[in-house]
Structure formats: C-alpha cells, structure tokens
Amino acid sequence: DAGVIQSPRHEVTEMGQEVTLRCKPISGHNSLFWYRQTMMRGLELLIYFNNNVPIDDSGMPEDRFSAKMPNASFSTLKIQPSEPRDSAVYFCASSLAMGQPYGYTFGSGTRLTVV
Amino acid sequence: KQEVTQIPAALSVPEGENLVLNCSFTDSAIYNLQWFRQDPGKGLTSLLLIQSSQREQTSGRLNASLDKSSGRSTLYIAASQPGDSATYLCAPRTPHDMRFGAGTRLTVKP
C-alpha cells in the first residue's frame, strides 16, 4: 500500500494567489482528515470527511479556506486568496471508518510558504 | 471539545535511560488513543494504538498504557537511544475526531 499521498511536498506562493493542496487517501479508507501544523498552535484539525461528505468544518479558519472530496480517492484543500499567516505544514490523514476504533495514517504533508 | 495535554514539553536524557511521557485528555469517551512520533520536518509515524478496552500496548522498547476513566495515558521508552530523539504526540480519538497534544520533544544524548 502506498499510504496517504499528498502533493505537492512544498509550495511557495505569493500573497493573494490561490493555493490547492491535494490528498489521495489509502484505498478502502472512507474517512479523511485535514490538519494544519504550526509552531505556535501545533496540530489543528481543519475539516474531516466521511464517505466523501464533510462532517465537521468548524476548524476551517476562514472563508478563504475550502475543502472538497469529489470521490473516495481524492481530496483538495484550497486557500483563496492566500496570506502569509497561512504558512504552515498541512497534513492529510485517512482512517477506515468514522465512529470505529481504527487508527489514522498520515501523509508526509505539504509545507506551504506564502510570501 | 477534547483538550489534550502532554507533559513534559521537552525532555533531555542520556542514552540508556528509561523514560515516561505523559498525556492527559478531558473527554474520556474515546474509542482509542494513538501515539505518534514526528521527526523534524517530517510527517507523523504511528507508534502504538490502544483501544479503549485495553490497558496497555507494547511494541519493542515502547509500552503505552491507558487509563480511560481518569483521562490519562503514558508512553514508556526503555533503554533510550539517540535515534529515539523526536517529538512524541498523543491523540485520543472520540467518535467524532482526533485531537492532538502539543507533544513532548525528546532528546537522547549519546
């Protein structure tokens, strides 16, 4: 199994530009989670999906952030327009099922720098 | 909302010592608790997963215990090695999400 795959690994963009981060969960996992990690705030849960449906997006910081999961094998996190304070490492994780005692598997993350 | 606290925030020990990392959480209605390791600039690697019905889980030199009713978990590392240097994160999972502590940054000196 290739694990959770995130792309790109690194992204540098200018303030005001649109940024799209991508995630491919482990095949068969039907729960997907987006986290953001910064030195100041640690790991924060942004949003999670179950069976491609967003369940809780209360962690999404602002309307500039949006996430989609058009099918079971792909999800995107979009920031438009991006700001320097969005600079962080964004992780995607997947799990076999919500509401079940399964562990999470994390991707390698996307390091985003907004200048 | 689950609040997770890890103590100590940082720990520096000489090689060979046995050590204990602590994790406490406020919502005891968890399915399981996962311990992760994170190396600088890297992703999260799962170390141990303890189900809510279990008291402890072991993998090599690592042993994790769980006291669900009191909202506590400990990670015990035996005979520490320089390669154990990393940040260790605990994450209790409720039916709705998984929240992380801030982590314990461990340095093992040769």
Side-chain angles (χ1 to χ4, degrees):
Chain A
D1 194 326
V4 177
I5 300 173
Q6 291 187 247
S7 64
R9 290 297 306 275
H10 303 274
E11 176 80 35
V12 180
T13 190
E14 291 185 348
M15 182 175 62
Q17 296 298 306
E18 177 181 293
V19 176
T20 300
L21 312 182
R22 297 173 175 80
C23 175
K24 175 179 169 57
I26 290 175
S27 177
H29 283 193
N30 56 13
S31 295
L32 183 140
F33 308 81
W34 283 100
Y35 286 86
R36 177 173 69 175
Q37 187 177 40
T38 61
M39 289 292 293
M40 291 296 294
R41 301 173 69 91
L43 269 163
E44 301 173 278
L45 177 63
L46 300 177
I47 185 172
Y48 67 89
F49 295 83
N50 193 43
N51 292 322
N52 311 337
V53 176
I55 303 299
D56 185 352
D57 65 355
S58 60
M60 297 285 262
E62 315 175 15
D63 291 344
R64 299 184 294 107
F65 286 68
S66 62
K68 294 182 179 179
M69 192 164 186
N71 57 62
S73 60
F74 184 65
S75 176
T76 60
L77 178 67
K78 185 176 294 185
I79 308 172
Q80 167 63 22
S82 58
E83 296 182 3
R85 60 193 169 119
D86 301 331
S87 297
V89 180
Y90 292 80
F91 287 102
C92 174
S94 70
S95 177
L96 266 171
M98 270 313 291
Q100 297 294 329
Y102 300 116
Y104 286 29
T105 301
F106 277 75
S108 299
T110 294
R111 183 175 297 275
L112 173 64
T113 303
V114 183
V115 298
Chain B
K1 176 180 170 182
Q2 179 81 276
E3 299 291 335
V4 184
T5 303
Q6 289 190 245
I7 295 173
L11 184 62
S12 181
V13 300
E15 182 177 4
E17 277 204 5
N18 302 324
L19 48 98
V20 175
L21 309 182
N22 297 291
C23 171
S24 62
F25 47 95
T26 55
D27 184 355
S28 62
I30 63 170
Y31 277 127
N32 57 45
L33 185 143
Q34 211 164 345
W35 281 93
F36 292 88
R37 167 186 173 138
Q38 186 175 30
D39 293 283
K42 303 294 185 182
L44 280 72
T45 300
S46 181
L47 298 173
L48 289 164
L49 171 67
I50 314 177
Q51 301 298 341
S52 62
S53 58
Q54 295 178 313
R55 296 287 293 182
E56 63 179 62
Q57 191 71 248
T58 297
S59 175
R61 295 182 294 108
L62 305 179
N63 175 276
S65 67
L66 175 65
D67 184 342
K68 179 182 166 182
S69 60
S70 67
R72 297 175 189 271
S73 177
T74 60
L75 179 66
Y76 177 83
I77 303 177
S80 58
Q81 302 171 357
D84 295 331
S85 298
T87 296
Y88 291 80
L89 298 149
C90 74
R93 179 172 185 173
T94 67
H96 307 292
D97 60 26
M98 184 166 76
R99 305 276 171 176
F100 283 82
T104 293
R105 181 175 296 179
L106 173 65
T107 303
V108 181
K109 300 177 181 177

